[in-house]
Amino acid sequence: MRFATYEHRHQRRVAVVEEDGTLHPVPGVRSLTELISRGDGLDALLRAGAATLDVPPGPHVSEVRLLPPLQPPTVRDFVTFEEHVEGVRRSVDGVGVGGVPEAWYDAPTFYFTNPYAVIGAHDDVPVPPGSGVLDFELEVAAVIGREGRDLTPEQARDHIIGYTVFNDWSARDLQSREMQVRLGPCKGKDTAATLGPYLVTADELEPYRDTDGFLRLALTASVNGEVVGKDLLSNMSWTFEEMVAYASRGTVVRPGDVLGSGTCGNGGCLAELWGVRGEQSPPPLKPGDTVTLTVEGIGTVSNTVVAGRNPEPLPTARRRSRERP
């Protein structure tokens, strides 16, 4: 089952999406996050959706503005594709061939990114202030439907309520500079993060699961209609269940939390291609460029880059004397 959050005639609604794009608004619900946050899990969401199909249909998806399917309380972004790690470290960190650190293999590393930066499937993306090297990142995100702590991977499967496409927009020049401080990324990843077009419930994607527990979904990235990257989601080095288990270690995951897969390989972002080719080809994104990401079984998001604001000036750090009184 697919759920959308949309805006139509100045009203925000949540709906079940039929195969032909017809929307069936869920009565009395304005936020999918609110519906998920009840913590009743996948079965309850499917029951709510099934009941909604009995009510009169609303508009077609082509007639509305798709919003992010949910407003997550937290967004953890992992890095689970080995090929991506190696390529990006060459271009962003200047690391040579074989640059995947041994520590990467220990556990599915993640960082917390900005839930306030989440945008919809077709919203414009402003260039981050002060950046001249904008990039996209093709990912899939899992959404938590039940609270859990110290989960095993087997337990974690029951806590994943669905999946959505995730584009982690990245200002590579800002990211490269600020991460020399060994903290972050911060403003390199702070302006936009696309979620959409829908939340696809976990049961819909079970037919794609392989014998090792990975979802074998085809991933495609295009810039201005030209394909620049293709991969399979099953090339992840950890399953989503393993990621959720690690995220819950010593803490909690809660309904509505989003966990990104990390960027796929083979052109899942421009920076990986720059690292492989030794030059910025294709070039960084600029205003007017449109990035289209498609994930089999989930859908397509397509965002156009627009001019951003100039950064408000700030002083550099005050260099303090090390002499003590």
Side-chain angles (χ1 to χ4, degrees):
M1 192 170 289
R2 299 181 176 200
F3 287 83
T5 301
Y6 67 92
E7 185 178 74
H8 185 241
R9 295 178 180 173
H10 307 293
Q11 289 191 329
R12 176 189 295 258
R13 302 296 301 269
V14 174
V16 175
V17 188
E18 289 196 73
E19 287 294 329
D20 65 358
T22 300
L23 298 167
H24 289 261
V26 181
V29 175
R30 297 291 182 269
S31 165
L32 186 56
T33 307
E34 175 187 342
L35 188 59
I36 293 172
S37 294
R38 296 172 184 172
D40 297 327
L42 177 59
D43 289 344
L45 184 62
L46 292 175
R47 286 195 299 272
T52 298
L53 293 175
D54 293 332
V55 305
H60 189 270
V61 70
S62 63
E63 302 173 302
V64 305
R65 176 194 170 202
L66 284 176
L67 302 173
L70 74 161
Q71 291 293 330
T74 67
V75 181
R76 295 171 176 87
D77 198 10
F78 287 73
V79 53
T80 68
F81 289 84
E82 188 176 17
E83 184 177 4
H84 168 75
V85 175
E86 184 169 2
V88 168
R89 276 173 61 82
R90 289 185 199 175
S91 62
V92 176
D93 299 335
V95 177
V97 177
V100 179
E102 278 300 315
W104 180 82
Y105 298 95
D106 293 344
T109 306
F110 66 90
Y111 69 95
F112 282 96
T113 192
N114 186 0
Y116 302 134
V118 170
I119 62 172
H122 305 292
D123 290 342
D124 290 341
V125 177
V127 175
S131 175
V133 188
L134 181 61
D135 196 0
F136 67 89
E137 297 200 9
L138 170 52
E139 308 187 27
V140 173
V143 179
I144 299 297
R146 291 173 50 205
E147 183 171 314
R149 182 185 183 100
D150 290 315
L151 300 171
T152 66
E154 293 73 24
Q155 292 169 332
R157 181 167 298 185
D158 292 335
H159 291 257
I160 297 174
I161 205 167
Y163 300 88
T164 189
V165 182
F166 182 27
N167 186 348
D168 175 36
W169 298 86
S170 302
R172 297 300 186 192
D173 45 354
L174 304 183
Q175 177 188 3
S176 179
R177 180 65 175 174
E178 67 195 8
M179 290 194 72
Q180 293 178 35
V181 186
R182 299 192 179 278
L183 189 65
C186 50
K187 288 301 172 183
K189 302 271 192 174
D190 209 30
T191 295
T194 304
L195 288 179
Y198 315 119
L199 173 76
V200 178
T201 54
D203 59 301
E204 289 281 322
L205 299 183
E206 278 303 306
Y208 297 93
R209 193 178 296 277
D210 66 19
T211 56
D212 293 320
F214 293 93
L215 298 174
R216 189 178 173 85
L217 306 178
L219 313 172
T220 305
S222 301
V223 178
N224 300 328
E226 180 180 349
V227 174
V228 298
K230 285 188 173 184
D231 201 1
L232 290 173
L233 188 63
S234 52
N235 286 331
M236 295 164 63
S237 290
W238 290 274
T239 66
F240 280 104
E241 290 78 10
E242 290 162 345
M243 292 158 53
V244 172
Y246 188 65
S248 73
R249 185 179 293 178
T251 186
V252 294
V253 291
R254 289 189 170 139
D257 285 353
V258 163
L259 288 78
S261 64
T263 309
C264 68
N266 196 37
C269 69
L270 298 178
E272 180 205 320
L273 297 176
W274 301 339
V276 171
R277 297 171 181 175
E279 60 180 10
Q280 288 189 341
S281 175
L285 301 171
K286 62 184 185 303
D289 287 340
T290 297
V291 176
T292 302
L293 308 181
T294 299
V295 178
E296 182 182 10
I298 299 179
T300 297
V301 299
S302 188
N303 303 96
T304 298
V305 178
V306 297
R309 299 185 60 172
N310 292 325
E312 296 296 332
L314 288 175
T316 56
R318 282 75 164 173
R319 297 181 184 268
R320 303 297 187 183
S321 169
R322 296 192 180 185
E323 296 181 4
R324 297 293 184 229

